[in-house]
Amino acid sequence: MKISLEELNLLVEKYNQPNFIELDPISIPHSFKRKEDIEMSGFLTSVIAWGRRDQILKKSNELMRRMDYSPFEFIKNFESSDIQSLEGWLYRTFQTEDLIFFLTRFQEIFSKQQNLEEYFKTFIAPEECHYSGAISRFKEDFFLPQPTHRASKHLPNPLKGSAAKRFHMFLRWMGRKDENGVDFGLWKSLDPQFLSCPLDTHSGRVARAFGLLKRKQNDFKALQELDQTLRKLKPKDPAVFDFALFGAGVDGIL
């Protein structure tokens, strides 16, 4: 079925609403007010955002509790004695060992950078009209001290073919200037017109059914194709159609 722009916009209007937040992973960063806490809770939640949403929310909330509901300060002041408070926390293949690597690495980064936005924007190339390259450079730098650490599998590399669904979702949260109060629009260093609509098995299936995507694999090339299609429909805010693709899947329209 070929979907019209009007029909897409109706789906966006239906799902880009405050009541969307409650059962979505974005509810975790919405429980904070400080920019640095929103960033870090959002990033850590996005890293484990695969599988059942209720389990993602359960484990993310548990992690925030173990970090005393102050993730940024917990990371900045992280000591070996804090490891005990994290023991036993895991989500599927993301183990305690991976979490500790992430926290200690961010602690090193925050000794030099003010916050996560300041760190990420060092990887943005002004000549690029997407953030996939920045994501790849972010990963390379993040794992520079230990490039073969087992935790490296939890961050994507788009330039090696990944669609980087969860990272692009996080960037949507941080970069979209959303009038309805769902996405935060906190990162002024991101240009919404260059954001990508998160692509995975579910959104890819809906996008193909709607006639928005032809490539069969859900990879970086498919993401580029979807980018081109959605930017023609809404040049200044293409990532907003994530709500339409998600909504159609949830409602069983397809």
Side-chain angles (χ1 to χ4, degrees), residues 52-205:
R52 289 173 47 184
R53 287 197 297 163
D54 61 335
Q55 290 300 308
I56 296 167
L57 296 180
K58 176 182 177 181
K59 298 306 292 188
S60 296
N61 275 310
E62 179 188 338
L63 179 57
M64 295 304 109
R65 176 180 60 79
R66 290 182 182 231
M67 299 173 76
D68 300 322
Y69 297 104
S70 299
F72 185 71
E73 290 301 323
F74 186 90
I75 291 169
K76 288 196 70 175
N77 300 313
F78 189 65
E79 299 177 348
S80 57
S81 59
D82 293 317
I83 293 177
Q84 184 177 359
S85 67
L86 302 174
E87 288 294 346
W89 184 92
L90 57 88
Y91 178 72
R92 302 180 76 168
T93 61
F94 194 89
Q95 305 287 316
T96 306
E97 177 186 349
D98 304 320
L99 175 62
I100 292 171
F101 178 88
F102 269 69
L103 299 188
T104 53
R105 182 69 182 109
F106 273 125
Q107 185 179 58
E108 295 172 3
I109 290 165
F110 293 148
S111 68
K112 302 172 184 177
Q113 298 287 352
Q114 184 178 356
N115 52 47
L116 184 54
E117 180 182 12
E118 293 301 310
Y119 177 55
F120 183 80
K121 76 179 186 180
T122 63
F123 306 110
I124 298 175
E127 69 275 10
E128 292 178 345
C129 60
H130 58 76
Y131 295 114
S132 291
I135 292 172
S136 290
R137 291 185 286 273
F138 177 101
K139 176 175 183 174
E140 181 180 1
D141 186 82
F142 193 81
F143 288 100
L144 196 60
Q146 296 186 55
T148 60
H149 192 281
R150 55 160 282 134
S152 65
K153 65 184 178 182
H154 295 294
L155 287 185
N157 188 340
L159 299 189
K160 289 188 176 181
S162 172
K165 179 257 184 178
R166 288 170 285 156
F167 210 124
H168 282 297
M169 178 184 71
F170 170 71
L171 294 183
R172 193 206 86 201
W173 294 352
M174 295 297 107
R176 278 198 69 248
K177 298 173 177 63
D178 187 73
E179 295 179 358
N180 292 350
V182 179
D183 292 328
F184 293 94
L186 282 176
W187 286 14
K188 308 307 178 187
S189 56
L190 298 180
D191 189 333
Q193 68 178 321
F194 295 151
L195 292 172
S196 296
C197 185
L199 176 64
D200 64 3
T201 300
H202 306 294
S203 61
R205 175 179 59 82

Side-chain angles (χ1 to χ4, degrees), residues 8-17 19-20 243 247 251 253:
L8 275 174
N9 284 332
L10 287 174
L11 283 172
V12 169
E13 290 175 13
K14 180 177 181 179
Y15 286 95
N16 187 21
Q17 298 293 334
N19 58 10
F20 170 88
F243 293 100
D251 270 358
I253 293 174

